[in-house]
């Protein structure tokens, strides 16, 4: 049996998505910029995809720009904030995705802009009081805080952070890569300037995503070229990817409640089984709590001989998950997120399990047996 519990890294593509994409690999191949019928056909598909996305986000289609994925969109938002929107200060946190942290660091060096990291509570949540202090004591800020953390599942309230940013005339970007398609995000209810998505996180294809840019903003091209995406992102569009993205989001949004109920059930089952069968297991961040991203669970297993090897051993057993690890020398290494919340434990394996609408309890049982075996073997070896 093969069990895939790494859906925060990527999800399998839904069959309906592939079906929607197929004609664009074969008969509908025209360049969307061409004015003939072949081009008009594919241009129409791209604009229909944009409308579908806008409908789910409660925004105008003109606020959606297709990109190569989440990373490009993160780069776009941060760069525009500094270069086009006059921000002289970036506020982010040390547990953001590297697409945000590394980009923020580089921009700050390049444009001589100050970078502040908002403090986190011990469980990895944003300290809102400190965020306000940072906003109040600097010039125009760009706040980039992810909607849900991809490793520990901690979430921010887009509304709360958005209102605080509005109070200080700050630009607010939220990396919504892990929540798009899993939570309803309505831009008409949240004061937000930029958010972004990556299709492969919600059963769409890889290499395609989008950025939402609030229509109040005037930004320049992220990529100069043939003027595609209304001049902001040149380059022939990833036509089949865009068609697949819209189909994947439509499926996810239409069945969101059912999918969420299923995934929550699988996750809660795994929590209960881990607690019963692995004494001493700990859960990181807020991942076990009901207010966390429901697709992610992050656990640290008790100290044991197999800690270093746990991911590898599980992989050999056919169980795919991910995580930061602790090396046997005692020096903790691995996830910058676990490090950022002081959750790395020497000699202990930390594992991230992430679920999708296709995950079953039978698969969880299989994974649990394997985890138990390796924990038992480690305990026996250390006796
Ligand atoms: N942001 C978050 C929170 C992610 O989890 C990921 C993917 O791992 C990305 C950004 C990058 O997205 P992409 O793979 O589409 O570039």
């Amino acid at each position: 049996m093969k069990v895939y519990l790494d859906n925060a890294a990527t999800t399998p593509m839904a069959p309906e998505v592939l079906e929607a994409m197929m004609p664009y690999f074969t008969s509908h191949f025209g360049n969307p910029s061409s004015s003939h019928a072949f081009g008009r056909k594919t241009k129409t598909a791209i604009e229909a995809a944009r409308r579908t996305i806008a409908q789910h986000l409660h925004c105008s289609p003109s606020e959606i720009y297709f990109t190569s994925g989440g990373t490009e969109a993160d780069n776009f938002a941060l760069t525009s904030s500094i270069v086009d929107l006059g921000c002289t200060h970036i506020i982010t946190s040390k547990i953001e995705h590297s697409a945000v942290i590394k980009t923020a660091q580089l921009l700050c060096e390049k444009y001589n802009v100050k970078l502040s990291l908002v403090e986190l509570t011990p469980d990895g949540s944003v300290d809102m009081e400190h965020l306000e202090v940072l906003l109040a004591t600097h010039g125009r800020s760009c706040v980039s805080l992810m909607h849900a953390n991809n490793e520990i599942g901690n979430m921010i309230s887009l509304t709360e952070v958005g209102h605080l940013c509005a109070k200080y005339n700050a630009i607010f970007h939220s990396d919504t890569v892990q929540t798009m398609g899993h939570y309803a995000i309505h831009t008409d209810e949240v004061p937000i300037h930029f958010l972004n998505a990556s299709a492969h996180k919600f059963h769409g294809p890889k290499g395609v995503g989008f950025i939402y840019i609030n229509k109040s903003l005037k930004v320049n091209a992220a990529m100069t070229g043939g003027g595609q995406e209304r001049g902001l992102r040149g380059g022939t569009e990833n036509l089949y990817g865009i068609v697949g993205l819209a189909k994947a989001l439509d499926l996810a949004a239409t069945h969101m409640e059912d999918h969420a109920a299923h995934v929550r059930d699988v996750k809660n089952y795994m929590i209960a089984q881990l607690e019963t069968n692995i004494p001493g297991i700990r859960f990181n961040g807020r991942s076990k709590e009901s207010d966390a991203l429901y697709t992610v669970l992050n656990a640290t297993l008790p100290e044991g001989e197999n800690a270093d090897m746990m991911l590898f051993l599980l992989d050999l057993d056919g169980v795919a998950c991910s995580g930061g690890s602790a090396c046997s020398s005692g020096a903790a290494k691995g996830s910058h997120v676990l490090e950022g919340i002081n959750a790395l434990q020497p000699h202990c394996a930390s594992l991230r399990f992430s679920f999708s609408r296709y995950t079953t309890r039978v698969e969880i049982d299989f994974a649990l047996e394997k985890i138990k075996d390796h924990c038992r073997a480690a305990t026996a070896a250390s006796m």
Side-chain angles (χ1 to χ4, degrees):
M1 187 171 189
K2 291 259 182 258
V3 174
Y4 184 75
L5 296 178
D6 202 13
N7 290 281
T10 195
T11 53
M13 210 160 73
E16 302 91 320
V17 172
L18 182 60
E19 199 187 324
M21 291 167 71
M22 277 315 276
Y24 296 89
F25 285 106
T26 53
S27 44
H28 309 330
F29 59 84
N31 187 323
S33 297
S34 299
S35 54
H36 50 59
F38 289 82
R40 290 199 305 275
K41 176 90 191 162
T42 53
K43 177 81 179 159
T44 302
I46 289 179
E47 294 318 317
R50 203 186 307 280
R51 279 196 302 278
T52 301
I53 294 163
Q55 194 191 327
H56 290 302
L57 264 66
H58 291 197
C59 67
S60 156
S62 65
E63 295 176 297
I64 301 295
Y65 298 84
F66 293 112
T67 65
S68 62
T71 302
E72 184 188 325
D74 282 333
N75 274 260
F76 193 165
L78 292 175
T79 306
S80 300
S81 300
I82 301 303
V83 177
D84 305 324
L85 302 171
C87 293
T88 54
H89 179 219
I90 297 181
I91 304 174
T92 184
S93 92
K94 56 183 160 188
I95 62 170
E96 290 295 308
H97 192 272
S98 315
V100 165
I101 300 183
K102 288 190 181 162
T103 308
Q105 282 167 344
L106 280 173
L107 284 168
C108 288
E109 278 167 31
K110 188 169 172 191
Y111 294 100
N112 199 21
V113 160
K114 186 165 165 41
L115 178 65
S116 297
L117 297 177
V118 67
E119 283 167 15
L120 302 171
T121 61
D123 70 1
S125 300
V126 170
D127 179 335
M128 291 297 291
E129 281 178 21
H130 186 232
L131 179 59
E132 178 147 20
V133 170
L134 289 174
L135 283 164
T137 51
H138 291 82
R140 191 174 203 210
S141 301
C142 161
V143 173
S144 182
L145 292 171
M146 65 209 310
H147 191 196
N149 186 278
N150 49 309
E151 292 194 37
I152 55 172
N154 288 39
M155 295 188 69
I156 61 164
S157 158
L158 293 178
T159 310
E160 197 185 348
V161 175
H163 282 300
L164 192 58
C165 289
K167 180 172 167 192
Y168 292 95
N169 190 29
I171 292 293
F172 177 33
H173 163 242
S174 186
D175 178 330
T176 46
V177 164
Q178 290 291 338
T179 50
M180 188 63 66
H182 303 288
Y183 292 78
I185 300 174
H186 295 156
T187 59
D188 55 350
E189 291 160 11
V190 180
I192 191 158
H193 296 101
F194 297 105
L195 55 78
N196 53 320
S198 179
H200 72 104
K201 307 289 188 181
F202 48 91
H203 305 286
K206 292 170 185 52
V208 64
F210 68 82
I211 182 168
Y212 157 86
I213 305 180
N214 186 287
K215 56 177 162 307
S216 64
L217 303 180
K218 291 271 166 294
V219 301
N220 290 313
M223 184 101 70
T224 46
Q228 288 89 346
E229 295 301 287
R230 281 150 289 133
L232 290 199
R233 205 268 184 182
T236 302
E237 298 87 340
N238 177 356
L239 168 65
Y240 14 79
I242 290 169
V243 169
L245 188 171
K247 179 70 186 179
L249 187 63
D250 200 34
L251 283 172
T254 307
H255 305 286
M256 194 173 279
E257 274 182 29
D258 290 349
H259 293 163
H262 172 81
V263 177
R264 282 184 195 278
D265 172 72
V266 164
K267 175 176 172 176
N268 289 336
Y269 178 68
M270 185 159 201
I271 293 172
Q273 293 297 319
L274 284 170
E275 283 181 324
T276 309
N277 291 290
I278 317 275
I281 192 163
R282 281 173 297 110
F283 296 98
N284 295 311
R286 296 194 63 74
S287 70
K288 187 191 146 189
E289 309 303 324
S290 57
D291 62 6
L293 176 64
Y294 60 82
T295 50
V296 164
L297 181 64
N298 196 309
T300 299
L301 302 179
E303 189 172 328
E305 294 283 310
N306 283 337
D308 268 0
M309 302 284 285
M310 192 59 81
L311 277 179
F312 175 67
L313 293 170
L314 289 172
D315 185 28
L316 286 182
D317 291 332
V319 177
C321 56
S322 70
S325 60
C327 68
S328 54
S329 66
K333 67 173 172 104
S335 151
H336 75 278
V337 174
L338 295 186
E339 193 179 357
I341 61 165
N342 301 316
L344 279 178
Q345 291 289 322
H347 312 294
C348 295
S350 294
L351 302 175
R352 178 188 69 178
F353 305 104
S354 46
F355 318 98
S356 85
R357 60 191 193 238
Y358 300 122
T359 313
T360 64
R361 279 188 179 218
V362 173
E363 291 176 320
I364 300 293
D365 285 337
F366 182 85
L368 278 161
E369 280 312 311
K370 302 300 173 192
I371 297 165
K372 273 195 304 196
D373 284 353
H374 296 308
C375 286
R376 258 198 302 267
T379 314
S382 62
M383 278 182 181

